[in-house]
């Protein structure tokens, strides 16, 4: 488990918080978040393929923010091993999401890397 002082974890927390709050109101965002938003259509199509029983607008908003970051890291950025990205997303889901969030995130991301 990452410590709250791990700079990579803190960076991901900030991105998740920005992605989440953007669903409610416009605001200035970091370059990392802007990069994710630039690929939002591609990312959301990938999420929809693996979570087809849930339309994007029905997915818990914090889970959606976590998925968008993780899918971006897995399919676009590709700077970390897939296992590291998925583990980090699960940790963020435990930290921010609901009771079922970690399992949902794990299942969705596991399906994405199999595609």
């Amino acid at each position: 488990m990452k410590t709250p002082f791990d700079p990579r974890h803190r960076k991901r927390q900030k991105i998740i918080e920005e992605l989440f709050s953007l669903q409610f109101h416009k605001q200035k965002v970091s370059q990392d978040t802007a990069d994710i938003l630039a690929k939002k259509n591609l990312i959301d199509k990938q999420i929809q393929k693996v979570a087809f029983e849930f339309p994007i607008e029905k997915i818990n908003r914090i889970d959606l923010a976590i998925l968008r970051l993780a899918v971006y890291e897995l399919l676009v950025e590709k700077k970390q091993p897939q296992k590291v990205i998925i583990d980090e997303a699960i940790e963020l889901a435990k930290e921010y999401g609901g009771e079922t969030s970690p399992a949902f995130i794990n299942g969705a991301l596991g399906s994405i890397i199999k595609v």
Side-chain angles (χ1 to χ4, degrees):
M1 183 169 165
K2 305 285 183 215
T3 66
F5 303 110
D6 180 330
R8 293 166 298 188
H9 184 74
R10 184 61 207 133
K11 179 180 174 183
R12 285 184 175 106
Q13 287 175 316
K14 184 178 187 293
I15 293 169
I16 293 301
E17 290 165 5
E18 287 180 348
L19 288 170
F20 178 76
S21 63
L22 277 170
Q23 296 176 73
F24 300 99
H25 55 82
K26 292 197 183 283
Q27 66 187 42
K28 189 172 175 108
V29 296
S30 66
Q31 186 59 51
D32 293 317
T33 301
D35 292 345
I36 293 168
L37 293 173
K39 300 286 186 180
K40 184 173 164 253
N41 287 339
L42 169 78
I43 292 166
D44 285 358
K45 283 179 187 171
Q46 294 302 314
I47 293 169
Q48 202 61 78
K49 281 183 190 177
V50 298
F52 53 87
E53 65 275 12
F54 300 105
I56 290 287
E57 61 275 359
K58 297 287 186 189
I59 295 173
N60 174 312
R61 291 181 183 204
I62 197 67
D63 292 353
L64 183 57
I66 294 166
L67 282 172
R68 284 177 172 155
L69 169 60
V71 171
Y72 177 82
E73 289 182 329
L74 286 168
L75 301 180
V76 178
E77 200 173 54
K78 299 179 184 178
K79 290 182 181 176
Q80 304 253 343
Q82 292 178 335
K83 182 175 177 9
V84 171
I85 294 167
I86 293 171
D87 287 349
E88 184 66 20
I90 293 167
E91 287 303 316
L92 289 163
K94 289 176 184 175
E95 191 174 340
Y96 288 99
E99 189 176 307
T100 60
S101 295
F104 175 69
I105 298 288
N106 187 40
L109 295 177
S111 295
I112 283 175
I113 63 171
K114 290 177 186 171
V115 172

